[in-house]
Amino acid sequence: MEMIQFPTELWVGDNALTNLETLQGKRVFVVTDPFMVESGFVENVTKHLSHSEYLIFSDIVPDPPIDKIVSGIKQLADFNGDMIVALGGGSAIDAAKAMKYFGKRTMNLQVDQFIAIPTTSGTGSEVTNFSVITIAETETKIPLVTNEIQPDVAILDTALVMSVPPKITADTGMDVLTHVIEAYVSTEANPIADALCEKVVRLVFENLETAYREGNNKQARENMHLASCMAGMAFNVTSLGLNHGIAHAAGARLHVPHGRMNAILLPDVIAFNSGLANGKVTNEATAKRYAQLADCISSTKTTNARLGVQQLIRQIKQLRQKLQMPASFTEYGLAKGEVRELSEKIASAALKDGCTKTNPVQPTKEEIMEILNSVL
């Protein structure tokens, strides 16, 4: 038996934020990043909280380390907040999730409602029970997975993503694509998640380049924002795979933005999972799944799994090139020696990552090191 649930309520539309005005008499702890405060962007939310007391916590950095989580918990406790509103990209939302979880355990903090408001179209964190936090001392990223951190409400307002810069649009968009490709071949894949994945793949290939080149294209932005949310709904019930396992481990040590790291790895992880070598595939079942995704994009259908895998990889590389994204670590600007020196530690950490557990093929440390070497 499988239990599939989508517990987060979605508020979608141009005026979705105005629904915050119904929250009266609350003590709202707003978690965001410094840019949102300095640019005045946070006022898009706070202007709707006039009937509540609120405190803004903005000491958030990319890949939030545990010390920022602890600082937030202390301020949440001092403020006596009974509601959390997270505004920002994955880092702000993930940090808020960790504050809610560890605050309850360390200081018995009770949060009545948790609202997530994404300002990028990538992580899907607003509808997942995933959070990734960084242990700076050991240079590791730790996925926290529990229903306790699932947001109660997610607000999807396209106006909040219209000004996202092209490079971040590309990074977050490729993260969306990686989410659904991994969810589709996960060992926990199911037909409901499959339907979401297939739709998202189409949305990404039809809209990401446009959103990247024409940032003011509202339709493309809206479609990518929905795609990100739908991808989160999919992988929340299937988990992810080796691509994210390596990305977490490598990102913590090499400090490459998460979506960019995923984009570098994705073609080679697909090749590994399908057993694509010397013109053949050795993992026929997984290869067929990848081929089905390729058919979602192309008007030319194929019944040959090998050709389908090759077609999907080619389509991903073409999209990556259109987005002017690096295809290797050296293109990103890293030295080969630096990557090689850390490859064994990265591989060991990737093996332990929770996302790797649902990969269709369980890799060895040596195989992960080979993947890293292939993208130097």
Side-chain angles (χ1 to χ4, degrees), residues 185-258:
V185 298
S186 163
T187 56
E188 298 297 319
N190 63 73
I192 294 174
D194 285 355
L196 289 167
C197 293
E198 290 167 5
K199 179 62 175 178
V200 170
V201 165
R202 293 188 184 98
L203 286 173
V204 170
F205 275 89
E206 290 169 359
N207 294 278
L208 179 52
E209 184 185 359
T210 302
Y212 170 75
R213 297 191 182 280
E214 304 170 24
N216 61 350
N217 188 310
K218 187 176 180 181
Q219 190 62 61
R221 290 289 196 186
E222 183 175 301
N223 286 339
M224 284 305 303
H225 212 35
L226 289 172
S228 175
C229 181
M230 291 164 65
M233 293 169 70
F235 80 77
N236 199 48
V237 297
T238 65
S239 191
L240 294 163
L242 179 60
N243 210 105
H244 269 77
I246 298 176
H248 290 152
R253 291 167 173 80
L254 299 173
H255 308 293
V256 179
H258 179 68

Side-chain angles (χ1 to χ4, degrees), residues 130-284:
F130 282 65
S131 175
V132 180
I133 56 176
T134 301
I135 310 300
E137 294 78 8
T138 58
E139 293 187 309
T140 54
K141 288 186 178 183
I142 307 296
L144 173 64
V145 185
T146 169
N147 289 336
E148 293 182 50
I149 61 174
Q150 182 90 28
D152 299 300
V153 174
I155 302 179
L156 305 181
D157 190 328
T158 307
L160 299 182
V161 296
M162 292 298 292
S163 60
V164 176
K167 184 177 286 189
I168 296 177
T169 298
D171 287 351
T172 53
M174 290 303 289
D175 195 20
V176 172
L177 183 61
T178 306
H179 286 156
V180 290
I181 290 176
E182 292 212 281
Y184 201 72
V185 298
S186 163
T187 56
E188 298 297 319
N190 63 73
I192 294 174
D194 285 355
L196 289 167
C197 293
E198 290 167 5
K199 179 62 175 178
V200 170
V201 165
R202 293 188 184 98
L203 286 173
V204 170
F205 275 89
E206 290 169 359
N207 294 278
L208 179 52
E209 184 185 359
T210 302
Y212 170 75
R213 297 191 182 280
E214 304 170 24
N216 61 350
N217 188 310
K218 187 176 180 181
Q219 190 62 61
R221 290 289 196 186
E222 183 175 301
N223 286 339
M224 284 305 303
H225 212 35
L226 289 172
S228 175
C229 181
M230 291 164 65
M233 293 169 70
F235 80 77
N236 199 48
V237 297
T238 65
S239 191
L240 294 163
L242 179 60
N243 210 105
H244 269 77
I246 298 176
H248 290 152
R253 291 167 173 80
L254 299 173
H255 308 293
V256 179
H258 179 68
R260 197 145 291 224
M261 175 68 76
N262 275 328
I264 290 172
L265 294 167
L266 189 53
D268 289 83
V269 171
I270 290 173
F272 168 76
N273 283 342
S274 57
L276 183 63
N278 302 319
K280 298 179 180 179
V281 292
T282 56
N283 190 343
E284 188 77 14

Side-chain angles (χ1 to χ4, degrees), residues 1-19:
M1 185 190 78
E2 290 182 278
M3 292 185 64
I4 300 172
Q5 58 178 334
F6 301 105
T8 302
E9 182 177 312
L10 301 181
W11 298 352
V12 183
D14 291 339
N15 298 310
L17 285 171
T18 61
N19 212 36

